[in-house]
């Protein structure tokens, strides 16, 4: 007579990856931006889906170096299919971001899927007109053989 097989205990499912949080604990200089982008990339690759949270509570008095760092971090996250969310942003930093026009791009999380493909996740607005002396995006100028150089 065959013995019944003992029940195997259920295997625990792996814990979900934790959300990515990058903490800026001191004033940021332009020399640190590349290192911060590398740290954000490493965090984003190890963490679960969704935006990377950037805690800016420790940067002290915000300046344009902080704004530049945040803009570069946003670009880095966007290249990885992520966005960033700011945590502990003081009123002065929010006003500086608004003054530079980066407030919405840096304070709203990136979307995934179609919104990412269309550029919404990077804070870009669809449509619009080209500024004076700028070519419209997505327009490619053709050159015919024999045309003089501009």
């Amino acid at each position: 007579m065959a013995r019944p097989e003992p029940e195997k205990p259920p295997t625990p499912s792996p814990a979900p990856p934790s959300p990515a949080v990058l903490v800026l604990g001191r004033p940021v200089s332009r020399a640190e931006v590349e290192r911060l982008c590398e740290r954000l990339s490493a965090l984003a690759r190890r963490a679960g889906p969704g935006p990377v949270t950037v805690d800016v509570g420790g940067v002290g008095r915000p300046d344009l170096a902080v704004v530049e760092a945040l803009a570069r971090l946003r670009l880095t996250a966007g290249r990885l299919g992520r966005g960033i969310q700011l945590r502990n942003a003081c009123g002065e930093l929010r006003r500086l971001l608004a003054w530079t026009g980066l407030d919405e791009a840096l304070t709203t999380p990136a979307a995934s899927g179609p919104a990412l493909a269309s550029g919404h996740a990077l804070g870009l607005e669809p449509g619009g007109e080209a500024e004076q002396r700028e070519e419209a995006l997505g327009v490619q100028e053709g050159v015919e053989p024999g045309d003089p150089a501009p």
Side-chain angles (χ1 to χ4, degrees):
M1 188 150 127
R3 297 167 100 189
E5 289 188 35
E7 286 187 29
K8 294 181 183 177
T11 56
S13 59
S18 59
V21 179
L22 177 65
V23 178
L24 305 182
R26 62 180 193 274
V28 177
S29 70
R30 287 194 166 118
E32 296 176 281
V33 172
E34 187 173 337
R35 183 183 57 80
L36 290 172
C37 290
E38 289 169 2
R39 282 181 50 205
L40 182 133
S41 294
L43 279 170
R45 287 186 177 106
R46 287 192 313 258
V52 176
T53 300
V54 180
D55 189 328
V56 293
V59 298
R61 185 178 171 111
D63 58 11
L64 289 178
V66 173
V67 172
E68 179 183 352
L70 292 173
R72 293 268 309 273
L73 289 169
R74 176 65 182 218
L75 289 173
T76 300
R79 288 183 187 117
L80 297 169
R82 306 284 192 105
I84 66 171
Q85 288 180 318
L86 299 183
R87 180 192 298 166
N88 297 324
C90 65
E92 192 174 355
L93 177 58
R94 290 193 181 278
R95 283 189 296 278
L96 190 56
L97 292 172
W99 182 74
T100 59
L102 294 171
D103 53 338
E104 287 186 31
L106 291 173
T107 57
T108 56
S112 59
L116 180 62
S118 67
H120 293 212
L122 300 177
L124 301 176
E125 292 185 18
E129 296 180 18
E131 300 249 350
Q132 185 177 3
R133 293 195 214 155
E134 289 185 11
E135 290 185 31
L137 294 175
V139 176
Q140 194 170 25
E141 186 174 323
V143 178
E144 296 290 325
D147 280 350

